[in-house]
C-alpha cells in the first residue's frame, strides 16, 4: 500500500536459489526515514558483524527514499548500502540518475540482494514480473554491447 511517498514493497532476491520475495515497506519505514534508514535497519537485523563483504550471508541493498521519483531538484536520489570490502564495516553511497526512480515506478522502495549464484546472472524487474536470468550469453561483453543485447531480448 503506497503511503507517504513510499511505493509499498521491498524486493528481496536470493541469488543462491533464484527466489524472490516481496515484503511491505511499512515493516521498516515507520521508524527509519528514507532509503538509507530502510537499508540500515535491514542490514542491522540481518547481517552479523563477522560476515565478510563477499560472504553469501551479506546483503547489498539498493534503496530509494520517499522523494525519489518526484519531479523536482534532488528527486532522483537513491542509495546503495552494504559492507565495505576495504574496511569490513557498513557503508553507503548516495547516487542520482533515473535508476532509483525506475525501481520506485516498478513498485519497490528497496532491493535487497543476498547469496551467490553458481553462474553469471542478471535481475529483470518489470513491475510484478521479477526474474533472475542467466547472463552467460552477455558475460564479458562491454557495456554498449550488453545494453544492446538486453534491449534486443527484452525491448
Amino acid at each position: 500500500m503506497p503511503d507517504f511517498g513510499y511505493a509499498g514493497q521491498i524486493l528481496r532476491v536470493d541469488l543462491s536459489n533464484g527466489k524472490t520475495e516481496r515484503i511491505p515497506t511499512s515493516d521498516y519505514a515507520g521508524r527509519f526515514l528514507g532509503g538509507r534508514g530502510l537499508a540500515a535497519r535491514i542490514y542491522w537485523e540481518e547481517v552479523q558483524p563477522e560476515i565478510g563483504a563477499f560472504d553469501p550471508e551479506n546483503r547489498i541493498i539498493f534503496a530509494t527514499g520517499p522523494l525519489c521519483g518526484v519531479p523536482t531538484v534532488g528527486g532522483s536520489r537513491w542509495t546503495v548500502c552494504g559492507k565495505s570490502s576495504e574496511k569490513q564495516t557498513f557503508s553507503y553511497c548516495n547516487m542520482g540518475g533515473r535508476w532509483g526512480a525506475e525501481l520506485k515506478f516498478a513498485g519497490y522502495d528497496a532491493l535487497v540482494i543476498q547469496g551467490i549464484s553458481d553462474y553469471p546472472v542478471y535481475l529483470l524487474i518489470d513491475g510484478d514480473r521479477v526474474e533472475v536470468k542467466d547472463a552467460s550469453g552477455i558475460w564479458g561483453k562491454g557495456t554498449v554491447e550488453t545494453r544492446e543485447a538486453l534491449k534486443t531480448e527484452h525491448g
Side-chain angles (χ1 to χ4, degrees):
M1 63 182 186
D3 200 13
F4 302 107
Y6 290 103
Q9 297 184 93
I10 295 171
L11 177 61
R12 300 173 83 64
V13 177
D14 188 335
L15 297 177
S16 298
N17 58 26
K19 291 187 179 179
T20 63
E21 173 187 21
R22 292 163 184 85
I23 58 172
T25 304
S26 60
D27 289 355
Y28 295 90
R31 292 180 29 215
F32 300 89
L33 180 62
R36 190 176 356 151
L38 292 174
R41 179 166 180 204
I42 292 168
Y43 197 86
W44 178 264
E45 291 178 346
E46 298 182 13
V47 181
Q48 299 301 313
E50 65 274 6
I51 299 300
F54 299 111
D55 292 345
E57 300 84 13
N58 192 23
R59 309 288 189 268
I60 185 165
I61 305 166
F62 303 82
T64 67
L67 295 179
C68 186
V70 174
T72 184
V73 173
S76 64
R77 306 305 296 175
W78 52 284
T79 190
V80 179
C81 300
K83 185 167 275 191
S84 164
S85 60
E86 181 182 336
K87 296 193 177 192
Q88 295 295 316
T89 58
F90 180 78
S91 186
Y92 61 90
C93 174
N94 184 290
M95 294 191 254
R98 57 185 262 200
W99 189 90
E102 293 296 331
L103 182 68
K104 173 87 61 95
F105 298 154
Y108 305 105
D109 297 302
L111 169 61
V112 181
I113 300 176
Q114 68 186 68
I116 295 176
S117 177
D118 292 332
Y119 52 90
V121 296
Y122 66 92
L123 187 61
L124 176 66
I125 301 174
D126 186 9
D128 287 337
R129 185 174 136 223
V130 177
E131 297 177 58
V132 178
K133 307 277 284 177
D134 186 343
S136 299
I138 56 174
W139 191 252
K141 296 183 185 234
T143 55
V144 173
E145 192 176 3
T146 299
R147 181 189 70 217
E148 294 306 314
L150 292 174
K151 282 172 64 175
T152 299
E153 184 171 345
H154 300 294

